[in-house]
Amino acid sequence: VMCNVTGTNYAEADYRLPIPDAWRTDLSRFMGGPPAVHAAKKPWMLYRPLVARPEYRGSELRNADPASYAELFNSIRDKFFVVSVADLEEGKEWIVGPDAKAELCFHNGELVFETLAALAEQSALVFTSSGFAAVLGPAVGTPTISIVGGYEDVRCHDSGAKFAPYLAIGPRVGCSCWTSACRKTCDKSIDLIDAKDKLSNFMSQTCRGEL
């Protein structure tokens, strides 16, 4: 849709985002102190928890199955210093599914866009469901794993694969209704054996840092 509005050729669209040094400096301020010492021992993972918002039903429809999301995340989490990012507010945005128990959480909207983009760029991996983080990771050149749920096709963000390693894992039965008004109950179940195999191959071939 954005390409149509701007008259851009989708196949050739380049949305890579260079990160200025000033953004990295701001990130260092947030990551300073003891957490930074621990982070230095492992590569960073930018983790986006599954969240829901009342005014946009699509936010929950597009979420991956919470149990599968947690299982896939937990299969690799020990390799990383996990930084979880959200903008939670009672009654307005809340986490869906198990608590990831990240090493460092920015769950109150602390990070402005510039700092968030720098965090994505400095991370060895972005782990997310569908949505903004699945676009931001490739845009700053960071390997990205997107676990897709309902609402949209598993290929919805794969344009970023030309900028950075990108893996999308979708449910057994995909959905591409593209409407938050849809009342169908999506089957978001994932073939976890196949998904873990793809995840393992992706990790061994593409992720930066000492894993």
Side-chain angles (χ1 to χ4, degrees):
V1 171
M2 287 187 285
C3 286
N4 288 339
V5 170
T6 59
T8 305
N9 183 318
Y10 177 76
E12 299 175 358
D14 188 342
Y15 53 85
R16 284 176 289 182
L17 178 66
I19 303 299
D21 288 340
W23 296 9
R24 297 189 186 101
T25 299
D26 287 342
L27 174 64
S28 296
R29 178 168 57 87
F30 279 98
M31 296 293 288
V37 175
H38 296 299
K41 298 178 182 178
K42 292 182 178 180
W44 297 353
M45 177 202 291
L46 171 55
Y47 172 78
R48 176 65 172 151
L50 301 177
V51 300
R53 298 182 62 88
E55 81 280 7
Y56 174 45
R57 186 168 176 268
S59 67
E60 193 155 10
L61 290 176
R62 76 196 312 199
N63 279 343
D65 169 64
S68 298
Y69 192 70
E71 185 165 344
L72 292 173
F73 167 72
N74 286 330
S75 72
I76 61 172
R77 67 147 302 144
D78 288 346
K79 302 177 186 298
F80 297 92
F81 180 90
V82 180
V83 184
S84 181
V85 177
D87 188 8
L88 306 180
E89 187 174 348
E90 187 174 356
K92 293 185 177 181
E93 180 170 310
W94 58 92
I95 290 178
V96 177
D99 182 355
K101 300 188 183 303
E103 281 78 15
L104 187 59
C105 293
F106 296 116
H107 281 178
N108 297 307
E110 297 95 332
L111 304 185
V112 297
F113 171 75
E114 293 84 354
T115 310
L116 178 59
L119 174 59
E121 187 245 359
Q122 294 289 295
S123 296
L125 180 70
V126 172
F127 189 98
T128 183
S129 189
S130 190
F132 174 68
V135 178
L136 179 61
V140 298
T142 299
T144 298
I145 296 169
S146 177
I147 313 300
V148 180
Y151 180 81
E152 52 205 349
D153 191 280
V154 70
R155 300 167 296 176
C156 60
H157 298 312
D158 64 5
S159 62
K162 60 180 177 282
F163 305 134
Y166 177 81
L167 173 65
I169 295 175
R172 289 187 175 94
V173 181
C175 176
S176 54
C177 65
W178 296 97
T179 173
S180 57
C182 180
R183 296 298 167 182
K184 183 185 73 173
T185 301
C186 292
D187 178 3
K188 299 182 181 181
S189 62
I190 292 173
D191 181 340
L192 286 172
I193 294 176
D194 179 65
K196 287 181 179 179
D197 184 55
K198 290 177 179 176
L199 194 59
S200 177
N201 289 336
F202 181 84
M203 293 283 293
S204 64
Q205 296 172 16
T206 63
C207 285
R208 302 191 297 264
E210 296 298 326
L211 301 182

